[in-house]
Amino acid sequence: MKTCLIVDFGSQYTQLIVRRLRELRVYSRLVQSRDLKAALNEGSVAAVILSGGPMSVVDQNAPGLELSLQDLKVPVLGICYGMQYLAKELGGQVDSQVAREYGVELLKQHESSVLWEGVESSEFSVLMSHGDHVSKAPPGFRPTAFSEAGVLAAMEDSERKLFGMQFHPEVSHTPAGNKILKNFLRLCGFSFDWDASQMLEELRLKLKSEVKDGKILCAVSGGVDSTVLAVLLNSIFPGKVECVCVDSGLLRKAEVKELRELFEKHFNFPIRIVDAKRDFLSALTGVIDPEEKRKQIGRVFIEVFEREVSDLSEVKYLAQGTLYSDKIESTSPHGGVSKKIKSHHNVGGLPERLNFQLLEPFGEIFKDEVRVLGRRLGLSEDFLGRHPFPGPGLAVRIIGEVTEERLDRLREAEACLQEVLKDSDWLHRLWQAFCVYLPVSSVGVMGDERTYEHCIAVRCVESEDAMTASVGALEPQLLEKISRRIINQVKGINRVVYDISSKPPATIEWE
């Protein structure tokens, strides 16, 4: 299977490159530069893309490749920082003077290029996000586009099949981006015949090679990712998987009950439910900082797992449904230079000491690709269409300290939101819809009496992959209905607000 490798130089958009290529039916994966040589030796690599990044190529400790560009022997596309790296390494010049461009800019084609084939206009919008720029192209390169401000926006050496773009073709703000990427991939010889279902056999082979002996403890939260993982593991290692759901008290309303019924009715393997509500609430008492919440939750999860399997000496592996998007926000998936946005309890929140070998088979897979795997494994569409839910649960949807009273209120508010959206046929039109508990008191009036109670924020977003998201365009009448239902049914709440922030600049979750 032909592969395109994306070298991770730390851009928050790097994962989107992987995503876009997979949407174009080309298999791609991220690698750190130190692993590039080994990956190239696998023999199936047909192209390399150098990602953007937060640093300057002129910095003393700027990331780069541990082998020369000439040694790659496949077509190379440099994006943003990647273009500047090409220029610096091949004899061009990179400058930081008066060239900052952040946001959507107009690109103007300067010369013809195979990359512009099918692009309808010689001028089109692109997303720029850079301070440095290539002020002099390397020998053998010709400029093919400039920004409206005169910054070199694209260059190429067609003979050596080396290409550079100062803009980001992988983001939706560059409408022609998919055509440009497809043109690059076409000249690399890709036939655009890969699909996510092909990963199932690859995952099976990979897991069989990783799991030598001993049993697997599979952490099941009730969400899509961990449940698909449980079904996959049991299909590969029947009788060797212990599925455990830790009821942390941080789950949605009736989630544990629904999970137990799902396993009893549809799967031929059991699940153990562990009541650990007291452990988690005790650990979260007085904790306000969201990063500390995640660390405490990660610590308690491991302690509960270790306690539950103390009599199972054969358990050697802990399997989690961690996704690509979880890892990119916590750190680079391959130990690279990406800036941490937030820890996920099952990534950056895990303690350093683990008595298990960690298995994260979905660590290079997107949410919708997990759903494809779930369909192949026979899970229902109703279940696979569930909205994403954070690993730390409702703890990171409560701003401030987590208490039992706040959890109960938030659970009820979220149930109200889901019911209204389902009744109005909006639930499956959204990527994610949830409530956030705000410990902000405000004055209200109920039954001719003054109230001084808390506030719920409603967050509804549309997205393809959770890397970017836009605000759900709910009608005002529907928003009013949601507000009335929550205020009428949840005691202690007298105000509801609607979050209208996109991602970026905001994240989807608040903490």
Side-chain angles (χ1 to χ4, degrees):
M1 178 176 60
K2 283 187 175 182
T3 301
C4 180
L5 298 178
I6 290 89
V7 179
D8 179 18
F9 284 147
S11 168
Q12 294 299 328
Y13 298 133
T14 301
Q15 194 184 53
L16 275 178
I17 306 174
V18 180
R19 166 75 186 199
R20 295 296 173 247
L21 267 56
R22 292 185 185 180
E23 286 177 342
L24 293 170
R25 303 192 69 186
V26 166
Y27 182 68
S28 60
R29 62 186 179 92
L30 282 183
V31 293
Q32 185 59 21
S33 60
R34 62 175 175 267
D35 302 319
L36 180 58
K37 186 175 182 180
L40 288 167
N41 289 335
E42 294 174 4
S44 60
V45 178
V48 170
I49 294 178
L50 309 179
S51 84
M55 299 185 70
S56 169
V57 295
V58 300
D59 288 346
Q60 188 174 0
N61 59 344
L65 303 181
E66 295 185 357
L67 66 170
S68 71
L69 290 163
Q70 286 81 359
D71 290 338
L72 298 183
K73 298 177 181 177
V74 294
V76 178
L77 170 62
I79 296 175
C80 197
Y81 179 97
M83 171 176 166
Q84 296 164 14
Y85 181 80
L86 282 176
K88 174 177 172 288
E89 292 297 304
L90 296 174
Q93 186 173 326
V94 177
D95 202 340
S96 60
Q97 299 298 317
V98 198
R100 294 163 61 89
E101 293 177 308
Y102 294 98
V104 175
E105 300 284 345
L106 187 66
L107 178 143
K108 298 183 178 181
Q109 295 179 27
H110 178 69
E111 291 188 18
S112 62
S113 168
V114 65
L115 299 187
W116 307 147
E117 289 181 8
V119 178
E120 295 177 357
S121 173
S122 61
E123 298 183 1
F124 53 93
S125 298
V126 298
L127 180 76
M128 293 283 199
S129 183
H130 68 95
D132 293 354
H133 70 289
V134 176
S135 55
K136 180 182 177 183
F141 280 76
R142 60 186 180 89
T144 58
F146 289 88
S147 72
E148 202 168 20
V151 172
L152 181 60
M155 64 180 191
E156 67 180 55
D157 181 335
S158 53
E159 186 175 335
R160 289 186 288 176
K161 294 185 178 179
L162 302 175
F163 302 84
M165 300 177 189
Q166 187 57 67
F167 61 95
H168 287 271
E170 69 273 24
V171 301
S172 59
H173 298 81
T174 303
N178 274 6
K179 287 183 180 179
I180 294 168
L181 288 171
K182 192 167 187 176
N183 288 334
F184 171 72
L185 297 167
R186 186 179 289 112
L187 71 85
C188 299
F190 287 98
S191 54
F192 307 102
D193 57 359
W194 177 86
D195 67 73
S197 63
Q198 295 178 34
M199 287 191 291
L200 188 56
E201 188 56 34
E202 293 172 24
L203 284 171
R204 284 187 170 126
L205 293 172
K206 186 172 184 289
L207 283 164
K208 285 180 180 178
S209 69
E210 289 181 353
V211 177
K212 302 301 181 184
D213 55 8
K215 288 192 171 184
I216 303 167
L217 180 64
C218 182
V220 182
S221 67
V224 173
D225 310 320
S226 61
T227 305
V228 172
L229 177 59
V231 176
L232 173 63
L233 290 173
N234 276 279
S235 72
I236 303 170
F237 309 106
K240 293 182 64 176
V241 183
E242 295 284 338
C243 292
V244 176
C245 172
V246 175
D247 184 358
S248 60
L250 308 175
L251 301 177
R252 290 169 286 198
K253 187 176 181 179
E255 188 140 37
V256 173
K257 177 176 176 288
E258 291 172 1
L259 181 66
R260 183 183 285 110
E261 290 176 354
L262 178 70
F263 273 73
E264 288 176 352
K265 292 179 181 179
H266 299 286
F267 304 142
N268 58 357
F269 54 90
I271 185 170
R272 187 193 312 184
I273 309 292
V274 180
D275 187 345
K277 299 186 196 71
R278 293 294 104 199
D279 300 78
F280 284 90
L281 279 173
S282 175
L284 291 169
T285 300
V287 178
I288 295 175
D289 180 72
E291 285 295 292
E292 184 60 26
K293 285 181 186 177
R294 286 181 164 81
K295 290 175 182 176
Q296 290 297 330
I297 290 167
R299 175 184 63 79
V300 176
F301 263 114
I302 295 301
E303 289 176 356
V304 172
F305 283 133
E306 289 178 342
R307 184 175 69 215
E308 286 302 308
V309 299
S310 59
D311 58 333
L312 300 174
S313 58
E314 295 178 340
V315 173
K316 295 185 178 180
Y317 304 91
L318 171 62
Q320 299 187 130
T322 309
L323 298 182
Y324 231 166
S325 51
D326 299 333
K327 289 192 167 190
I328 199 70
E329 286 190 335
S330 295
T331 183
S332 165
H334 300 275
V337 293
S338 298
K339 299 294 185 181
K340 183 172 79 172
I341 305 301
K342 59 187 177 182
S343 297
H344 288 256
H345 88 282
N346 53 346
V347 186
L350 284 178
E352 293 183 7
R353 178 191 63 83
L354 279 177
N355 291 333
F356 309 105
Q357 182 177 328
L358 194 59
L359 295 177
E360 294 178 324
F362 298 162
E364 294 186 4
I365 294 178
F366 295 95
K367 169 71 75 173
D368 61 325
E369 292 171 341
V370 171
R371 288 177 172 138
V372 171
L373 297 179
R375 291 185 190 102
R376 290 288 301 273
L377 291 165
L379 276 78
S380 71
E381 286 296 329
D382 283 344
F383 179 80
L384 293 172
R386 297 186 73 189
H387 287 185
F389 186 65
L394 298 179
V396 291
R397 291 180 178 172
I398 294 175
I399 309 301
E401 185 178 6
V402 178
T403 67
E404 194 162 9
E405 181 181 53
R406 291 178 175 181
L407 284 167
D408 289 342
R409 288 174 179 169
L410 183 57
R411 248 188 295 270
E412 289 300 322
E414 185 134 324
C416 291
L417 172 64
Q418 299 292 317
E419 288 169 6
V420 174
L421 291 175
K422 186 175 181 180
D423 292 344
S424 59
D425 201 30
W426 258 96
L427 192 61
H428 294 299
R429 294 164 62 182
L430 296 166
W431 171 267
Q432 204 167 350
F434 58 92
C435 294
V436 179
Y437 190 98
L438 306 182
V440 177
S441 297
S442 66
V443 174
V445 57
M446 293 182 181
D448 297 323
E449 292 187 0
R450 178 186 186 273
T451 62
Y452 192 60
E453 296 176 334
H454 282 173
C455 177
I456 288 289
V458 171
R459 178 79 158 141
C460 299
V461 298
E462 299 174 16
S463 179
E464 293 181 354
D465 46 34
M467 294 306 299
T468 61
S470 58
V471 181
L474 276 64
E475 300 89 347
Q477 295 86 349
L478 180 57
L479 291 173
E480 289 177 11
K481 188 174 182 180
I482 291 167
S483 177
R484 284 197 304 271
R485 180 75 66 87
I486 292 173
I487 291 172
N488 288 341
Q489 292 193 18
V490 184
K491 189 176 180 180
I493 301 298
N494 71 350
R495 192 176 297 272
V496 173
V497 298
Y498 191 55
D499 183 349
I500 59 171
S501 310
S502 62
K503 176 184 180 180
T507 55
I508 293 178
E509 298 281 350
W510 280 41
E511 286 194 346

